[in-house]
Amino acid sequence: MTNSNRHEVQLSAEQIQSLWSAARSAQSKAYAPYSRYQVGVALLDENGDIHSGCNVENAAYPQGWCAEASALSAMVMAGASRVSAVLLVGSGSAWVTPCGGCRQKLREFAGPDTPIYSASAQTLGPVHTLGQLLPHSFGPDQLDSV
Ligand code: THU
């Protein structure tokens, strides 16, 4: 990955709090009648704006989608194109990290240094970079080289 894809960001405590509030609010809207596992995601974009989303399940189980997909859709619809930071909240006391497919979805708009904060309803959990969660990833720059 080239340096031009690096979007390092140092979040203030206030920004983290805003992300957490947005993720919690999104989580409260989750449609998860089958798993009962409600997820909320908040994304900070390149302009400092926050976009959020929840998981949306389906009676035909594989047709449901993750909170990350909803949040990314909200971000794209708002006209933003880079993810500077991510915060996820899951159900229960355990922290949640993005599923494999969502790591790839985030990779489209985020670089290896993008922080991904895990949280429970009560506390902030560990923070990983996207590069830690998805090493040696495939991204848009690969397609640029053909
Ligand atoms: N889920 C997410 O929304 N994001 C993830 O990264 C992990 C899983 C959702 C999908 C499903 O609705 C529920 O959590 C249980 O897997």
Side-chain angles (χ1 to χ4, degrees):
M1 191 171 296
T2 59
N3 279 340
S4 61
N5 280 336
R6 290 177 179 259
H7 287 253
E8 289 184 48
V9 68
Q10 206 60 44
L11 265 61
S12 66
E14 193 185 359
Q15 281 176 311
I16 295 172
Q17 178 64 42
S18 298
L19 282 170
W20 188 80
S21 298
R24 286 283 287 153
S25 174
Q27 183 190 27
S28 73
K29 305 210 172 70
Y31 178 74
Y34 306 108
S35 73
R36 308 226 167 259
Y37 191 80
Q38 298 186 301
V39 184
V41 169
L43 308 173
L44 187 70
D45 74 16
E46 72 270 35
N47 305 310
D49 294 326
I50 290 176
H51 312 278
S52 61
C54 62
N55 52 333
V56 181
E57 297 184 348
N58 192 282
Y61 293 173
Q63 299 305 326
W65 66 87
C66 287
E68 292 87 335
S70 297
L72 284 169
S73 175
M75 185 191 83
V76 170
M77 283 301 293
S81 58
R82 294 300 298 174
V83 172
S84 300
V86 181
L87 189 147
L88 297 87
V89 182
S91 293
S93 55
W95 299 311
V96 56
T97 52
C99 78
C102 286
R103 293 175 195 200
Q104 183 65 35
K105 286 186 176 76
L106 290 166
R107 170 66 182 84
E108 187 71 16
F109 304 98
D113 299 321
T114 303
I116 301 185
Y117 292 85
S118 302
S120 73
Q122 289 79 29
T123 56
L124 202 59
V127 54
H128 301 96
T129 65
L130 182 59
Q132 289 173 315
L133 296 180
L134 191 68
H136 311 292
S137 64
F138 183 88
D141 41 344
Q142 256 88 16
L143 300 180
D144 288 343
S145 65
V146 291

